[in-house]
Every structure is written in C-alpha cells, then in structure tokens.
Amino acid sequence: MSAQSQSKRFSFAKLKSLARRPLFALRVRWQRHLIYRTVISTLLFTTLALLAAGAFLSNQIASTLYEERVNQISKESERGLTQARSILESASTTDRASTQALVNSTLASLEGDGATVVRDFVLMPIAGDQSLYVGPMASGSLTTRVIPADLAERVAGEQGIYWRSVELGSDDQAQPGLVVGTKVLIPPGREYGLYLVYDLSSVQSTLEFINRALAFTGLILLAVVGFVAWSVARTVVRPVADAAYVSERIASGDLDRRMKVAGKDEVARLGTAFNHMAHSLQEQITQLNNLSAMQQRFVSDVSHELRTPLTTVRMAAEVIHDAREDFDPLTARSAELMYNQIERFQHLLNDLLEVSRFDAGVAVLDRESTDLNAIARKVIETATPVADEYGSIIRLNAPSEGCVAEVDPRRVERIIRNLVLNAVEHGESNPIDITIASNQSAVAVSVRDYGIGMSQEACQHVFDRFWRADPARARTTGGSGLGLSISMEDTRLHEGRLEAWGKPQVGSVFRLTLPKSEDQEIDSSPLPLEPAAPENILPPLGDSFPLTGEVPKIGYTPLILGLDDALVDDDVTDPSAAGNETKKEES
C-alpha cells in the first residue's frame, strides 16, 4: 500500500472520528439529562404539530384566494371577451387601416378594464389564415409564446371561452398568471385567438405574507412552548437530580448529606421522605459499622490472645504425642486425638487471623516471578498423604516449558492447596486432575474431581464463609470452613478470577485465573471451566493417564491393572468399593 493511500485512509478515518464526536456528545447528553430529553421531545412534537397545522392553513388559504380570483377573473374575462367579440364581428371595415384602428381601440378597452387584477391581451391569428389585415399583437411585455399550445388548439377548434394557469416572466422571476381566451372574427372574416392574460403576483404576495406570518407565529409559539417545557421539567426534575446527587454522596460515605426542602407540595414531601430515609440508613449503617468493627476487633484480639496458650498447649501435646508408645492403648489413642485436634485448632486460628486481615484491609501482595508448575508440585507433595488416606491419586497436566507469572507465591500456593484438599475430600476416592495453562494475558490452574459434585446453587455459595453444601456431611480433612473464602480473597488481591462448576454425581471443577503481570488485564481464561469429557465416564485409574503432562510420583501407589475392566463389570458399580475390595485382597 502506497504512502498516499495510507494518508488518504488516515484522513478519512480522522474526518469520520470528528463527525462522530458531536453525535456521541448528543447521545450522552440525551441519555444523562432528563430535562434535555423532555425539552427536545416537546419541541419536536410541537414542531410537527405546527408544521401540520401550518400546512393545512396555508393550503386552505391558498385554495380560497385562488378560487376567489378565478371566479372574479372568469366574470371579468367573460364580459370583456364577449363585448370585444361582438364589436369585432359586427365591424364593416373593408381596408387594412380602418380594421387596424378598430382592433386597436377595442383591445385598448380590454387592457384598461381590470381594476383589481392587472391584465394584458394577446391577439394571434389562427394557423392557416392568410391575407390578414391585422398581425399578431400583445400588450405590456408579453409575446405570443406565453399562450400554451393546448389552449391555442382548443380555442381554434371550438367556440367558447377557455382558460389555463401559466407562469409569467423569466425563470428566475416567474410569477403565477391566468390566460383566458376565445375565438373572434376580424375583417375580412379571418379567425383570431383573443386572450386575456392576468397577473396573479398580488395573490402570490398575499399568500407569501400569510405564510411568513404563520411561520413567525409558529416560531414564537415554539419558543414559548420550549420555555414552558423547560420551566416545568426543571421544576420537576431538579429535586430528582438533587436526590440523585445526595444519594451518590451518601453512597460514597458522606452520610450527613441531606436534600433541601422548601414548600409543602409533592416535591417537598418527596424531599422530606428522602431525608428521613437517609437518616434511618445513616443510623443503621453506623450501627452495622460499629458492630462489624467490634466483631473484627474481637476476632483479631481473641485470635492473638489464643496464640500464646495454644503454643504452650501444642508443645505439651507434641511431647505427649512423641511418648505415646510408652502409654497403654487407650491413653495413646487419646494423645493422638489431642494432638490432631490441636493441629486443627491451630489451622482454624491461622484462618481467623487471615480473615481479620482481609476485613481490616491490611492484606498486601508480595509479587515475584513464579513458576506455577513448582507451586503445583509443592502442593501435591503436601496433599499426597491426605489423598492416600482417601484412596485418591493426584495427577498433574502442565506445560513442560513452565508457566511463569508475577504473583504472590505464598497466597497462590494456599489457593491451590485449598482447592486440592477440597477436591480430595469430595472426590469419592477418584483421581484429582490439576491442569495448568497460559495465554498472552493470563495463567490458569484448574482442579477437577470426579466425586459427589455440586448443584448450580452450591456453585454460587461455595466461596461463602462457613458454607457447606451438605450440613450433615462431616469434615474429615480438618478444615475450618474458611479455606475457599480465603482463596477468593487471595484471588481478588491478584485481580483474578476464581470460578466453580459442578454437577451432582459427576464431579466439580475449580478454575483459578490470574493476570501474568500486575499491569495486565485478563482477556480470557486459558482453560475451560466446564469439562468437555463425557460426563458418564470416569477417568481411567492405575497406570493409564490420558493427560499429556507429568504424573507426580510423590506418594503415588499404582492400583492393580485391570481395574478399568472391573469398573465395567455389572457386579461392581462403585469405583470406591472396587478399590476397597482390591485393598482387601492385597492385605
């Protein structure tokens, strides 16, 4: 493409952009200002009404004036033409001079007869007549060309008085006119067409004056209607605009803002009701803020105060737990239970402290370039003992070249760990798939299980604090009910997305999407949220893995080959049951 064509395209695009700016400004003003819409709509409809009324009145006035002039001209022309025809047909002149003198005197009387309407005459012989005493004649600035051909043909063919509308003058200064003609005989018995031409410019001037008066009156009326519409709309809309401004200020935190109330009309009642509502909301918001602050302070203070005694108790529990082999079985079991519950209490306390930081708004990110593959392997290493207890395996599908992003590795590890442990707990001893991918703007990690699944309603509440889909289902991984909620808060700090999909008895998918860097925005997630695999087929177990990534060996124990065939057998319908039977046989 040449530089000239590129310059033309750029100029055209620039002109197009400049032309769109006024339209965009008008559209924005139309959408945001109620007074503007009200006044413009009123003026538009009023203009249409005035145009219709003006067109109707102008048409009626023009028709009336025209009919009146035509009737007047008909009477005048009939009287004048009849008189001239009788004079000329009764003449007994036998020479050219006397005939010319008679015609001149007769036509002169016709020219001066119009008192209210200016008229001229045209006398022209009918084609085919020769040996004429009198040639074509016309008064004023007229010529025989002003006579329409169809009128001349009709006058020459029939006896009577006929008329046509014509335009007089030049094309630049054309004026309406009327031509009335009849056939007469002039010595020595030759036929002529005698025409009276009426100038209707006075009628046109009168009609133009009336149209100007109507237009001026319409403009004045339009201005008055616009002013009235603006005044009424301003009276009604201004309190609404004030209420919108006050509500915006209240929403931004200025709870003391109120509307100005004047008078006792409906608008004043609206302002009073709005101020009362604002006062009530202020009191409730203040109470809720105080209660929330007290709750946050209570959680924070209690969590910090519990750390010291909990540390002492934990140290004592560890000593007892390490010496449990010297105790009797009942006491040893009690030591194990005490140690596990203290660990669970420690996790709960840490989660409460983290929630208090989120509520206080003091949580910050410590970003650094991190490979998500390394974080996933670390999470798998931590979660493998728990997965072994459930009879599940954890499989990783990650790009071999790595997946690097600027994130807080501690928080991302906590997110993935919470998702994996949640999947292990609800996976019904089925495999857990971790998939990592990236695109130009984002990185994503999805955790899929093939367990009990979730409903659509559960997917909407799964990130709420202490929410459980099945309250009767006991927690077995020692969770506090805050893991997914904390994961959502960590994701928001990264300006990412944490989404859930599930279907009962099919499984669930949790997808974490994070921007690659702090200054980037997520265009789309590299991984789909809803799995594309058939929902009624469980993933293969044992050594067969359809994923293209690596399989972590940490804590992984392959099951007996041929378990896939056992799953198809009609006698075995529950994969977890089949796994239990296999373990029994091994034992």
Side-chain angles (χ1 to χ4, degrees), residues 321-549:
H321 183 266
D322 293 339
R324 68 184 184 280
E325 296 181 355
D326 299 332
F327 302 152
D328 59 88
L330 182 60
T331 305
R333 179 57 179 167
S334 299
E336 291 180 358
L337 292 176
M338 180 180 65
Y339 178 80
N340 293 333
Q341 293 304 314
I342 290 177
E343 286 288 331
R344 182 176 180 181
F345 189 31
Q346 181 70 40
H347 291 309
L348 176 60
L349 185 61
N350 293 334
D351 289 344
L352 289 175
L353 286 173
E354 192 66 27
V355 168
S356 66
R357 294 190 189 97
F358 286 124
D359 293 339
V362 297
V364 293
L365 289 178
D366 186 12
R367 291 180 181 267
E368 60 181 68
S369 296
T370 307
D371 188 0
L372 297 186
N373 291 1
I375 295 179
R377 294 189 187 98
K378 188 176 180 181
V379 169
I380 293 173
E381 182 178 358
T382 304
T384 297
V386 180
D388 290 341
E389 294 180 5
Y390 278 86
S392 298
I393 60 173
I394 304 176
R395 305 184 297 190
L396 177 63
N397 179 21
S400 58
E401 67 275 7
C403 188
V404 180
E406 294 182 5
V407 296
D408 187 335
R410 181 180 65 87
R411 296 184 183 275
V412 173
E413 180 183 349
R414 180 167 58 190
I415 296 173
I416 300 177
R417 183 173 63 250
N418 288 333
L419 297 181
V420 171
L421 292 178
N422 180 76
V424 168
E425 181 178 358
H426 299 87
E428 299 294 315
S429 301
N430 291 316
I432 308 300
D433 292 333
I434 303 176
T435 306
I436 302 176
S438 65
N439 57 18
Q440 296 295 330
S441 61
V443 295
V445 179
S446 69
V447 179
R448 180 181 183 183
D449 66 76
Y450 302 87
I452 60 176
M454 295 186 296
S455 63
Q456 293 296 327
E457 182 181 0
C459 292
Q460 299 175 0
H461 299 282
V462 70
F463 299 107
D464 296 344
R465 296 179 181 178
F466 301 107
W467 186 87
R468 299 173 67 181
D470 185 5
R473 185 181 178 90
R475 298 188 185 274
T476 55
T477 59
S480 62
L482 296 173
L484 293 180
S485 177
I486 294 175
S487 298
M488 177 59 75
E489 296 295 340
D490 286 333
T491 304
R492 289 172 180 170
L493 285 178
H494 286 85
E495 296 183 357
R497 305 173 187 169
L498 183 57
E499 302 160 288
W501 173 90
K503 192 169 185 180
Q505 306 307 321
V506 174
S508 59
V509 178
F510 287 84
R511 182 181 66 182
L512 171 66
T513 307
L514 301 175
K516 277 192 171 182
S517 60
E518 185 177 1
D519 56 349
Q520 280 186 316
E521 294 184 358
I522 299 175
D523 295 332
S524 61
S525 180
L527 295 174
L529 179 61
E530 183 175 351
E535 298 175 350
N536 57 348
I537 300 178
L538 288 175
L541 301 178
D543 291 328
S544 175
F545 297 96
L547 304 179
T548 58

Side-chain angles (χ1 to χ4, degrees), residues 545-562:
F545 297 96
L547 304 179
T548 58
E550 59 178 303
V551 178
K553 298 181 180 179
I554 303 174
Y556 165 64
T557 302
L559 298 177
I560 297 177
L561 296 177

